[in-house]
Amino acid sequence: MKRKLISAIGIAGMMVSIAACGGGGGGSDKGGADAKELTVWLTVDAQNNWPQLVKAADAAVKKKHPGLKINHEYYGWPDKNAKLDAVLATDKAPDVVEMGNTEMLGYMVKGAFAPLDPAKFDNSDAWLDGLKASVTYEDKTYGVPYYAGGRVANWRGDIAASVGVKTPPKTYKELTAALDKIQKKEGGKFNAWYQPTRDWYAAMSFVYDAGGAIATESGGQWKASLSSPESLKGLGEFKKVVDSYMHGDKTKDESDRYIVYGQGKSAMIFAAAWEGATAEDPKNDKTGKLKGKLENFVMPGPSGKNMPVFLGGSDLAVPVKSDAQDLAAEWINAYTGSSGQKGLMAKGNLPNNKTDLATLKNDPATAVPATAAESNWFVPMAPGWGQVEKAQILQTMLQSIGTGKKSVEAAAKDADAAIDKVINTK
């Protein structure tokens, strides 16, 4: 469930109108506690998979505000932001809008969303760190985490068993020992670990596991740190994985990883938790033999701890132009609060908070993704991060490393220079 960050450039025109209306948000003139109508924009995920949770939130808010009309509009991910940008340039903004968590930053930087009081939302003191980061900008909260999606390791249990490994590894040393055996047995054209070189979500997990970071902030200024000793150590370990176990096209990204995995020429992936199950779906399983043979496990890190993973997912925000901001916040809490989280977990999602996440660790069906999500990271919440993503600086660096075009040190140095040019630019 990968959501690309909309660049600041793409929404600049729409923000001119927002700036003209003051941009403060959350003030008494915009509270709208007595509003008679509320408009909520969600993606089709809610419409198709948990419509009863939407109805329950509506009912809870309407009980407190008799006569309130709640309108719902549903959008697909590819076209949602274009529609949102267009409507935010008018006076007909929705009151609640769902955002992919990596989409939030560009809108927060430009003042599109109203600040919210975290104390008004259930479990806000226990929000998952990566999700909390996604709704926080310059020490203010501009959204509420909705649900999360993590990353896990997944491998062919049958292939592992063929080299004498009967259970998933608990340590990185055990993992690489097993992969070495698999690679030797299957030969040089086989991917013991199919790891697309341009997959920066996986690569940066190695960086954060080693104690590094993409960029760090000091005194209000961000500076790239991929050339730090810690980051270089993580990038070096990522290169070892690509060199040792990835024998496919080293210019690819992760967008079709589950399709490649389903072709049966790979033994393992480190991916979003849904990718293994999707690979073994009959329409993707080209071997016809994957069903029941794929196993998820918590990815161990070279550091000796669980690998920190990037948390994807969704947030809910209140546009600054909403005339019913107080009611919008009430609806969000009714939807994402304690009862809503239980409903979302029942549908296979990870919750937005550590308290509920801990309960999933006791269920064998959810223990792996829940445990993996406990250690997580998120992108630098810097004003120019959207430009970093748009320029694909990390992907370019990783491809240079994976193909051998540049050394790890040279590629990281060049990436740092490119990041520093834009990361502090609004």
Side-chain angles (χ1 to χ4, degrees):
M1 205 180 328
K2 184 176 173 186
R3 283 108 190 225
K4 298 286 188 182
L5 180 64
I6 297 297
S7 73
I9 295 174
I11 59 176
M14 169 268 290
M15 292 305 171
V16 172
S17 175
I18 289 174
C21 77
S28 58
D29 60 324
K30 287 284 189 177
D34 297 325
K36 300 301 181 183
E37 197 166 334
L38 196 68
T39 298
V40 177
W41 281 20
L42 299 172
T43 68
V44 292
D45 298 334
Q47 183 181 34
N48 296 336
N49 301 320
W50 45 86
Q52 68 276 22
L53 301 183
V54 178
K55 292 179 181 178
D58 288 353
V61 176
K62 286 180 178 180
K63 185 176 181 180
K64 291 178 62 178
H65 303 276
L68 177 66
K69 180 181 179 182
I70 302 180
N71 306 305
H72 292 282
E73 295 185 29
Y74 296 93
Y75 295 93
W77 285 106
D79 59 356
K80 174 184 65 69
N81 286 351
K83 294 179 183 295
L84 179 61
D85 293 350
V87 78
L88 287 181
T90 74
D91 293 322
K92 300 185 182 299
D95 303 297
V96 176
V97 61
E98 177 181 351
M99 305 293 295
N101 61 353
T102 60
E103 296 171 345
M104 285 288 294
L105 182 56
Y107 289 83
M108 293 191 295
V109 168
K110 294 297 182 180
F113 298 143
L116 302 173
D117 180 0
K120 293 182 178 180
F121 301 94
D122 294 355
N123 295 310
S124 60
D125 57 345
W127 284 342
L128 297 178
D129 295 339
L131 297 187
K132 181 178 180 180
S134 76
V135 298
T136 305
Y137 181 67
E138 294 185 339
D139 297 323
K140 290 185 178 181
T141 300
Y142 291 94
V144 176
Y146 174 8
Y147 65 89
R151 281 165 169 74
V152 299
N154 181 287
W155 77 357
R156 293 274 302 273
D158 57 334
I159 293 179
S162 74
V163 296
V165 180
K166 303 298 178 63
T167 58
K170 300 294 185 184
T171 69
Y172 194 72
K173 185 176 180 179
E174 291 176 356
L175 172 63
T176 56
L179 293 176
D180 288 341
K181 292 178 181 178
I182 291 171
Q183 193 66 67
K184 182 177 180 179
K185 177 179 181 292
E186 298 293 336
K189 294 184 178 181
F190 186 84
N191 303 303
W193 176 348
Y194 181 72
Q195 179 51 65
T197 308
R198 291 172 65 87
D199 176 13
W200 64 276
Y201 297 105
M204 293 305 105
S205 286
F206 280 90
V207 167
Y208 283 92
D209 178 72
I214 299 170
T216 58
E217 185 268 340
S218 178
Q221 289 292 300
W222 287 84
K223 184 169 181 58
S225 55
L226 293 168
S227 294
S228 72
E230 296 83 1
S231 294
L232 289 175
K233 181 179 179 181
L235 289 171
E237 194 61 50
F238 181 76
K239 177 174 171 55
K240 287 181 185 178
V241 168
V242 173
D243 287 349
S244 300
Y245 309 121
M246 169 62 177
H247 301 291
D249 183 351
K250 293 186 179 180
T251 66
K252 285 179 65 66
D253 64 17
E254 70 282 8
S255 59
D256 65 347
R257 173 170 44 210
Y258 66 93
I259 295 174
V260 175
Y261 195 32
Q263 294 171 351
K265 297 180 181 179
S266 307
M268 175 186 148
I269 57 174
F270 174 38
W274 56 266
E275 291 189 53
T278 306
E280 70 176 20
D281 185 294
K283 64 185 178 184
N284 296 316
D285 177 10
K286 302 306 179 184
T287 72
K289 301 176 181 178
L290 295 183
K291 193 71 174 178
K293 295 183 174 67
L294 301 185
E295 300 177 74
N296 279 339
F297 59 95
V298 178
M299 180 69 187
S303 69
K305 301 177 181 179
N306 291 342
M307 185 77 87
V309 299
F310 175 83
L311 283 183
S314 282
D315 301 322
L316 296 176
V318 179
V320 73
K321 283 192 168 186
S322 166
D323 289 322
Q325 292 178 14
D326 292 342
L327 276 176
E330 283 189 43
W331 190 91
I332 291 174
N333 191 48
Y335 187 54
T336 64
S338 298
S339 61
Q341 291 301 307
K342 288 181 174 59
L344 288 165
M345 288 189 292
K347 293 294 183 178
N349 300 293
L350 293 178
N352 66 4
N353 66 90
K354 299 171 186 176
T355 305
D356 286 325
L357 186 71
T359 66
L360 296 181
K361 293 173 63 179
N362 300 321
D363 183 345
T366 55
V368 168
T371 301
E374 286 185 311
S375 177
N376 55 78
W377 62 273
F378 198 65
V379 300
M381 296 302 283
W385 177 253
Q387 296 182 58
V388 175
E389 281 209 35
K390 183 181 179 183
Q392 298 192 3
I393 295 171
L394 297 181
Q395 293 95 321
T396 299
M397 173 189 72
L398 294 170
Q399 183 170 323
S400 295
I401 290 172
T403 59
K405 182 178 179 181
K406 295 180 182 178
S407 68
V408 170
E409 293 77 9
K413 182 179 179 181
D414 290 346
D416 277 350
I419 290 171
D420 283 340
K421 287 181 179 178
V422 297
I423 196 168
N424 291 297
T425 303
K426 289 188 177 181

